[in-house]
mmCIF file with all atom_site columns, all heavy atoms in Angstrom:
data_model
loop_
_atom_site.group_PDB
_atom_site.id
_atom_site.type_symbol
_atom_site.label_atom_id
_atom_site.label_alt_id
_atom_site.label_comp_id
_atom_site.label_asym_id
_atom_site.label_entity_id
_atom_site.label_seq_id
_atom_site.pdbx_PDB_ins_code
_atom_site.Cartn_x
_atom_site.Cartn_y
_atom_site.Cartn_z
_atom_site.occupancy
_atom_site.B_iso_or_equiv
_atom_site.pdbx_formal_charge
_atom_site.auth_seq_id
_atom_site.auth_comp_id
_atom_site.auth_asym_id
_atom_site.auth_atom_id
_atom_site.pdbx_PDB_model_num
ATOM 1   N N   . VAL A 1 261 ? -5.597 35.587 2.892   1.00 89.00 ? 261 VAL A N   1
ATOM 2   C CA  . VAL A 1 261 ? -4.935 34.296 2.762   1.00 89.00 ? 261 VAL A CA  1
ATOM 3   C C   . VAL A 1 261 ? -3.362 34.625 2.700   1.00 89.00 ? 261 VAL A C   1
ATOM 4   O O   . VAL A 1 261 ? -2.971 35.322 1.813   1.00 89.00 ? 261 VAL A O   1
ATOM 5   C CB  . VAL A 1 261 ? -5.407 33.627 1.570   1.00 89.00 ? 261 VAL A CB  1
ATOM 6   C CG1 . VAL A 1 261 ? -4.716 32.220 1.401   1.00 89.00 ? 261 VAL A CG1 1
ATOM 7   C CG2 . VAL A 1 261 ? -6.893 33.399 1.493   1.00 89.00 ? 261 VAL A CG2 1
ATOM 8   N N   . ALA A 1 262 ? -2.662 34.017 3.597   1.00 91.00 ? 262 ALA A N   1
ATOM 9   C CA  . ALA A 1 262 ? -1.193 34.245 3.716   1.00 91.00 ? 262 ALA A CA  1
ATOM 10  C C   . ALA A 1 262 ? -0.659 32.908 4.237   1.00 91.00 ? 262 ALA A C   1
ATOM 11  O O   . ALA A 1 262 ? -0.141 32.803 5.416   1.00 91.00 ? 262 ALA A O   1
ATOM 12  C CB  . ALA A 1 262 ? -0.826 35.437 4.683   1.00 91.00 ? 262 ALA A CB  1
ATOM 13  N N   . GLN A 1 263 ? -0.562 31.928 3.266   1.00 93.00 ? 263 GLN A N   1
ATOM 14  C CA  . GLN A 1 263 ? -0.118 30.579 3.684   1.00 93.00 ? 263 GLN A CA  1
ATOM 15  C C   . GLN A 1 263 ? 1.241  30.276 3.488   1.00 93.00 ? 263 GLN A C   1
ATOM 16  O O   . GLN A 1 263 ? 1.737  29.137 3.746   1.00 93.00 ? 263 GLN A O   1
ATOM 17  C CB  . GLN A 1 263 ? -0.949 29.654 2.976   1.00 93.00 ? 263 GLN A CB  1
ATOM 18  C CG  . GLN A 1 263 ? -2.479 29.671 3.231   1.00 93.00 ? 263 GLN A CG  1
ATOM 19  C CD  . GLN A 1 263 ? -3.290 28.596 2.506   1.00 93.00 ? 263 GLN A CD  1
ATOM 20  O OE1 . GLN A 1 263 ? -2.766 27.916 1.593   1.00 93.00 ? 263 GLN A OE1 1
ATOM 21  N NE2 . GLN A 1 263 ? -4.429 28.262 3.012   1.00 93.00 ? 263 GLN A NE2 1
ATOM 22  N N   . LEU A 1 264 ? 2.124  31.230 3.028   1.00 93.00 ? 264 LEU A N   1
ATOM 23  C CA  . LEU A 1 264 ? 3.513  30.939 2.707   1.00 93.00 ? 264 LEU A CA  1
ATOM 24  C C   . LEU A 1 264 ? 4.323  30.481 4.009   1.00 93.00 ? 264 LEU A C   1
ATOM 25  O O   . LEU A 1 264 ? 4.046  31.140 5.054   1.00 93.00 ? 264 LEU A O   1
ATOM 26  C CB  . LEU A 1 264 ? 4.280  32.140 2.156   1.00 93.00 ? 264 LEU A CB  1
ATOM 27  C CG  . LEU A 1 264 ? 3.938  32.545 0.816   1.00 93.00 ? 264 LEU A CG  1
ATOM 28  C CD1 . LEU A 1 264 ? 4.638  33.814 0.402   1.00 93.00 ? 264 LEU A CD1 1
ATOM 29  C CD2 . LEU A 1 264 ? 4.087  31.395 -0.254  1.00 93.00 ? 264 LEU A CD2 1
ATOM 30  N N   . PRO A 1 265 ? 5.088  29.516 3.937   1.00 92.00 ? 265 PRO A N   1
ATOM 31  C CA  . PRO A 1 265 ? 6.066  29.107 5.017   1.00 92.00 ? 265 PRO A CA  1
ATOM 32  C C   . PRO A 1 265 ? 7.018  30.190 5.214   1.00 92.00 ? 265 PRO A C   1
ATOM 33  O O   . PRO A 1 265 ? 7.272  31.078 4.426   1.00 92.00 ? 265 PRO A O   1
ATOM 34  C CB  . PRO A 1 265 ? 6.742  27.758 4.633   1.00 92.00 ? 265 PRO A CB  1
ATOM 35  C CG  . PRO A 1 265 ? 5.902  27.390 3.441   1.00 92.00 ? 265 PRO A CG  1
ATOM 36  C CD  . PRO A 1 265 ? 5.315  28.595 2.759   1.00 92.00 ? 265 PRO A CD  1
ATOM 37  N N   . PRO A 1 266 ? 7.600  30.229 6.433   1.00 91.00 ? 266 PRO A N   1
ATOM 38  C CA  . PRO A 1 266 ? 8.593  31.276 6.775   1.00 91.00 ? 266 PRO A CA  1
ATOM 39  C C   . PRO A 1 266 ? 9.909  30.998 5.819   1.00 91.00 ? 266 PRO A C   1
ATOM 40  O O   . PRO A 1 266 ? 10.237 29.889 5.511   1.00 91.00 ? 266 PRO A O   1
ATOM 41  C CB  . PRO A 1 266 ? 8.932  31.121 8.167   1.00 91.00 ? 266 PRO A CB  1
ATOM 42  C CG  . PRO A 1 266 ? 8.451  29.719 8.560   1.00 91.00 ? 266 PRO A CG  1
ATOM 43  C CD  . PRO A 1 266 ? 7.390  29.382 7.619   1.00 91.00 ? 266 PRO A CD  1
ATOM 44  N N   . GLY A 1 267 ? 10.575 32.185 5.481   1.00 89.00 ? 267 GLY A N   1
ATOM 45  C CA  . GLY A 1 267 ? 11.760 32.089 4.703   1.00 89.00 ? 267 GLY A CA  1
ATOM 46  C C   . GLY A 1 267 ? 12.956 31.745 5.604   1.00 89.00 ? 267 GLY A C   1
ATOM 47  O O   . GLY A 1 267 ? 12.712 31.688 6.807   1.00 89.00 ? 267 GLY A O   1
ATOM 48  N N   . ILE A 1 268 ? 13.992 31.343 4.994   1.00 87.00 ? 268 ILE A N   1
ATOM 49  C CA  . ILE A 1 268 ? 15.268 31.053 5.639   1.00 87.00 ? 268 ILE A CA  1
ATOM 50  C C   . ILE A 1 268 ? 16.108 32.300 5.792   1.00 87.00 ? 268 ILE A C   1
ATOM 51  O O   . ILE A 1 268 ? 16.304 33.086 4.780   1.00 87.00 ? 268 ILE A O   1
ATOM 52  C CB  . ILE A 1 268 ? 16.051 29.890 4.927   1.00 87.00 ? 268 ILE A CB  1
ATOM 53  C CG1 . ILE A 1 268 ? 15.187 28.587 5.073   1.00 87.00 ? 268 ILE A CG1 1
ATOM 54  C CG2 . ILE A 1 268 ? 17.400 29.737 5.656   1.00 87.00 ? 268 ILE A CG2 1
ATOM 55  C CD1 . ILE A 1 268 ? 15.918 27.427 4.345   1.00 87.00 ? 268 ILE A CD1 1
ATOM 56  N N   . ALA A 1 269 ? 16.523 32.566 7.128   1.00 85.00 ? 269 ALA A N   1
ATOM 57  C CA  . ALA A 1 269 ? 17.262 33.865 7.293   1.00 85.00 ? 269 ALA A CA  1
ATOM 58  C C   . ALA A 1 269 ? 18.574 33.904 6.667   1.00 85.00 ? 269 ALA A C   1
ATOM 59  O O   . ALA A 1 269 ? 19.020 35.033 6.232   1.00 85.00 ? 269 ALA A O   1
ATOM 60  C CB  . ALA A 1 269 ? 17.423 34.040 8.872   1.00 85.00 ? 269 ALA A CB  1
ATOM 61  N N   . ASP A 1 270 ? 19.260 32.862 6.458   1.00 86.00 ? 270 ASP A N   1
ATOM 62  C CA  . ASP A 1 270 ? 20.584 32.826 5.917   1.00 86.00 ? 270 ASP A CA  1
ATOM 63  C C   . ASP A 1 270 ? 20.562 32.491 4.337   1.00 86.00 ? 270 ASP A C   1
ATOM 64  O O   . ASP A 1 270 ? 21.599 31.978 3.869   1.00 86.00 ? 270 ASP A O   1
ATOM 65  C CB  . ASP A 1 270 ? 21.647 31.854 6.604   1.00 86.00 ? 270 ASP A CB  1
ATOM 66  C CG  . ASP A 1 270 ? 21.036 30.442 6.744   1.00 86.00 ? 270 ASP A CG  1
ATOM 67  O OD1 . ASP A 1 270 ? 20.134 30.200 5.991   1.00 86.00 ? 270 ASP A OD1 1
ATOM 68  O OD2 . ASP A 1 270 ? 21.521 29.652 7.460   1.00 86.00 ? 270 ASP A OD2 1
ATOM 69  N N   . PHE A 1 271 ? 19.420 32.779 3.690   1.00 90.00 ? 271 PHE A N   1
ATOM 70  C CA  . PHE A 1 271 ? 19.372 32.509 2.306   1.00 90.00 ? 271 PHE A CA  1
ATOM 71  C C   . PHE A 1 271 ? 20.501 33.215 1.591   1.00 90.00 ? 271 PHE A C   1
ATOM 72  O O   . PHE A 1 271 ? 20.881 34.431 1.926   1.00 90.00 ? 271 PHE A O   1
ATOM 73  C CB  . PHE A 1 271 ? 18.082 32.987 1.737   1.00 90.00 ? 271 PHE A CB  1
ATOM 74  C CG  . PHE A 1 271 ? 17.906 32.796 0.303   1.00 90.00 ? 271 PHE A CG  1
ATOM 75  C CD1 . PHE A 1 271 ? 17.340 31.553 -0.173  1.00 90.00 ? 271 PHE A CD1 1
ATOM 76  C CD2 . PHE A 1 271 ? 18.242 33.610 -0.623  1.00 90.00 ? 271 PHE A CD2 1
ATOM 77  C CE1 . PHE A 1 271 ? 17.046 31.354 -1.484  1.00 90.00 ? 271 PHE A CE1 1
ATOM 78  C CE2 . PHE A 1 271 ? 18.064 33.430 -1.928  1.00 90.00 ? 271 PHE A CE2 1
ATOM 79  C CZ  . PHE A 1 271 ? 17.481 32.244 -2.434  1.00 90.00 ? 271 PHE A CZ  1
ATOM 80  N N   . CYS A 1 272 ? 21.106 32.659 0.525   1.00 90.00 ? 272 CYS A N   1
ATOM 81  C CA  . CYS A 1 272 ? 22.216 33.284 -0.165  1.00 90.00 ? 272 CYS A CA  1
ATOM 82  C C   . CYS A 1 272 ? 22.226 32.773 -1.629  1.00 90.00 ? 272 CYS A C   1
ATOM 83  O O   . CYS A 1 272 ? 21.622 31.708 -1.905  1.00 90.00 ? 272 CYS A O   1
ATOM 84  C CB  . CYS A 1 272 ? 23.573 33.027 0.481   1.00 90.00 ? 272 CYS A CB  1
ATOM 85  S SG  . CYS A 1 272 ? 24.006 31.292 0.581   1.00 90.00 ? 272 CYS A SG  1
ATOM 86  N N   . GLY A 1 273 ? 22.888 33.463 -2.481  1.00 89.00 ? 273 GLY A N   1
ATOM 87  C CA  . GLY A 1 273 ? 23.087 33.036 -3.861  1.00 89.00 ? 273 GLY A CA  1
ATOM 88  C C   . GLY A 1 273 ? 21.798 33.165 -4.598  1.00 89.00 ? 273 GLY A C   1
ATOM 89  O O   . GLY A 1 273 ? 20.795 33.789 -4.405  1.00 89.00 ? 273 GLY A O   1
ATOM 90  N N   . ARG A 1 274 ? 21.789 32.242 -5.741  1.00 91.00 ? 274 ARG A N   1
ATOM 91  C CA  . ARG A 1 274 ? 20.559 32.169 -6.638  1.00 91.00 ? 274 ARG A CA  1
ATOM 92  C C   . ARG A 1 274 ? 20.156 33.398 -7.455  1.00 91.00 ? 274 ARG A C   1
ATOM 93  O O   . ARG A 1 274 ? 19.102 33.558 -7.700  1.00 91.00 ? 274 ARG A O   1
ATOM 94  C CB  . ARG A 1 274 ? 19.332 31.691 -5.835  1.00 91.00 ? 274 ARG A CB  1
ATOM 95  C CG  . ARG A 1 274 ? 19.497 30.415 -5.091  1.00 91.00 ? 274 ARG A CG  1
ATOM 96  C CD  . ARG A 1 274 ? 19.945 29.234 -6.005  1.00 91.00 ? 274 ARG A CD  1
ATOM 97  N NE  . ARG A 1 274 ? 19.887 28.009 -5.402  1.00 91.00 ? 274 ARG A NE  1
ATOM 98  C CZ  . ARG A 1 274 ? 20.404 26.771 -5.933  1.00 91.00 ? 274 ARG A CZ  1
ATOM 99  N NH1 . ARG A 1 274 ? 21.007 26.901 -7.089  1.00 91.00 ? 274 ARG A NH1 1
ATOM 100 N NH2 . ARG A 1 274 ? 20.276 25.691 -5.248  1.00 91.00 ? 274 ARG A NH2 1
ATOM 101 N N   . GLU A 1 275 ? 21.287 34.337 -7.720  1.00 89.00 ? 275 GLU A N   1
ATOM 102 C CA  . GLU A 1 275 ? 20.921 35.546 -8.419  1.00 89.00 ? 275 GLU A CA  1
ATOM 103 C C   . GLU A 1 275 ? 20.274 35.128 -9.761  1.00 89.00 ? 275 GLU A C   1
ATOM 104 O O   . GLU A 1 275 ? 19.319 35.856 -10.288 1.00 89.00 ? 275 GLU A O   1
ATOM 105 C CB  . GLU A 1 275 ? 22.139 36.286 -8.589  1.00 89.00 ? 275 GLU A CB  1
ATOM 106 C CG  . GLU A 1 275 ? 22.579 36.974 -7.320  1.00 89.00 ? 275 GLU A CG  1
ATOM 107 C CD  . GLU A 1 275 ? 23.439 36.141 -6.430  1.00 89.00 ? 275 GLU A CD  1
ATOM 108 O OE1 . GLU A 1 275 ? 23.678 35.022 -6.877  1.00 89.00 ? 275 GLU A OE1 1
ATOM 109 O OE2 . GLU A 1 275 ? 23.773 36.525 -5.327  1.00 89.00 ? 275 GLU A OE2 1
ATOM 110 N N   . ARG A 1 276 ? 20.856 34.094 -10.442 1.00 86.00 ? 276 ARG A N   1
ATOM 111 C CA  . ARG A 1 276 ? 20.306 33.847 -11.875 1.00 86.00 ? 276 ARG A CA  1
ATOM 112 C C   . ARG A 1 276 ? 19.040 33.405 -11.799 1.00 86.00 ? 276 ARG A C   1
ATOM 113 O O   . ARG A 1 276 ? 18.161 33.786 -12.698 1.00 86.00 ? 276 ARG A O   1
ATOM 114 C CB  . ARG A 1 276 ? 21.277 32.820 -12.463 1.00 86.00 ? 276 ARG A CB  1
ATOM 115 C CG  . ARG A 1 276 ? 20.841 32.325 -13.808 1.00 86.00 ? 276 ARG A CG  1
ATOM 116 C CD  . ARG A 1 276 ? 21.781 31.275 -14.422 1.00 86.00 ? 276 ARG A CD  1
ATOM 117 N NE  . ARG A 1 276 ? 21.801 30.003 -13.570 1.00 86.00 ? 276 ARG A NE  1
ATOM 118 C CZ  . ARG A 1 276 ? 20.742 29.083 -13.730 1.00 86.00 ? 276 ARG A CZ  1
ATOM 119 N NH1 . ARG A 1 276 ? 19.753 29.314 -14.620 1.00 86.00 ? 276 ARG A NH1 1
ATOM 120 N NH2 . ARG A 1 276 ? 20.711 28.035 -12.999 1.00 86.00 ? 276 ARG A NH2 1
ATOM 121 N N   . GLU A 1 277 ? 18.614 32.372 -10.849 1.00 86.00 ? 277 GLU A N   1
ATOM 122 C CA  . GLU A 1 277 ? 17.291 31.923 -10.804 1.00 86.00 ? 277 GLU A CA  1
ATOM 123 C C   . GLU A 1 277 ? 16.328 32.982 -10.458 1.00 86.00 ? 277 GLU A C   1
ATOM 124 O O   . GLU A 1 277 ? 15.199 32.968 -10.929 1.00 86.00 ? 277 GLU A O   1
ATOM 125 C CB  . GLU A 1 277 ? 17.234 30.700 -9.794  1.00 86.00 ? 277 GLU A CB  1
ATOM 126 C CG  . GLU A 1 277 ? 18.033 29.507 -10.262 1.00 86.00 ? 277 GLU A CG  1
ATOM 127 C CD  . GLU A 1 277 ? 19.477 29.546 -9.938  1.00 86.00 ? 277 GLU A CD  1
ATOM 128 O OE1 . GLU A 1 277 ? 19.893 30.668 -9.501  1.00 86.00 ? 277 GLU A OE1 1
ATOM 129 O OE2 . GLU A 1 277 ? 20.102 28.404 -10.067 1.00 86.00 ? 277 GLU A OE2 1
ATOM 130 N N   . ILE A 1 278 ? 16.718 33.895 -9.481  1.00 89.00 ? 278 ILE A N   1
ATOM 131 C CA  . ILE A 1 278 ? 15.767 34.909 -9.018  1.00 89.00 ? 278 ILE A CA  1
ATOM 132 C C   . ILE A 1 278 ? 15.493 35.843 -10.239 1.00 89.00 ? 278 ILE A C   1
ATOM 133 O O   . ILE A 1 278 ? 14.307 36.365 -10.374 1.00 89.00 ? 278 ILE A O   1
ATOM 134 C CB  . ILE A 1 278 ? 16.293 35.673 -7.848  1.00 89.00 ? 278 ILE A CB  1
ATOM 135 C CG1 . ILE A 1 278 ? 16.265 34.816 -6.733  1.00 89.00 ? 278 ILE A CG1 1
ATOM 136 C CG2 . ILE A 1 278 ? 15.482 36.985 -7.653  1.00 89.00 ? 278 ILE A CG2 1
ATOM 137 C CD1 . ILE A 1 278 ? 16.985 35.264 -5.386  1.00 89.00 ? 278 ILE A CD1 1
#
Side-chain angles (χ1 to χ4, degrees):
V261 183
Q263 296 184 342
L264 292 177
I268 294 180
D270 57 11
F271 182 90
C272 62
R274 300 303 190 194
E275 287 83 3
R276 180 182 62 84
E277 290 86 351
I278 290 174

